[in-house]
Amino acid sequence: MRSAFQAIGSDRLLLITDSMRAKGMPDGDYDLGGQTVRVHGEKATLEDGTLAGSVLRMNDAVRLMRTFTDASWEDVAKMTSWNQAKALNISDRKGNVAAGFDADVVLFGQDVLQETWCAGQLRFEEGSK
């Protein structure tokens, strides 16, 4: 992570999770395209032990990036939102908190998802059901 961040920089690096459906689920067996995947801790493997995919959550990716690099919160915003919007050619309405943008915002506090806003509407709030 440190090498990639130093070599590429936050203007071109995209921080993603590439997670499978079992992300955030408790340890156990899950289906991935007809194959049984065992999730244990932060690892997802096929029955033969082969790595099956990622169960990394974005808040953990951000925490790791900040832990192992000198990435600022501005760097993190670029790597988790703005750069993706540019790559998808939707940066005219996504990837920025500014007038005229879609108002999609995720708020974290101390590794806990606190709120999710979509199109300016509160869609999730920690502790609510």
Side-chain angles (χ1 to χ4, degrees), residues 60-112:
D60 293 327
V62 167
R63 180 181 45 77
L64 290 168
M65 178 59 78
R66 295 218 356 117
T67 297
F68 294 113
T69 71
D70 60 353
S72 68
W73 285 113
E74 181 180 352
D75 291 328
V76 168
K78 290 178 191 176
M79 295 183 290
T80 59
S81 181
W82 180 245
N83 294 348
Q84 287 82 341
K86 287 191 310 185
L88 294 169
N89 293 316
I90 57 172
S91 61
D92 61 326
R93 64 186 182 280
K94 300 279 187 191
N96 197 0
V97 179
F101 282 70
D102 287 347
D104 298 333
V105 179
V106 177
L107 300 175
F108 285 95
Q110 210 60 11
D111 295 329
V112 176

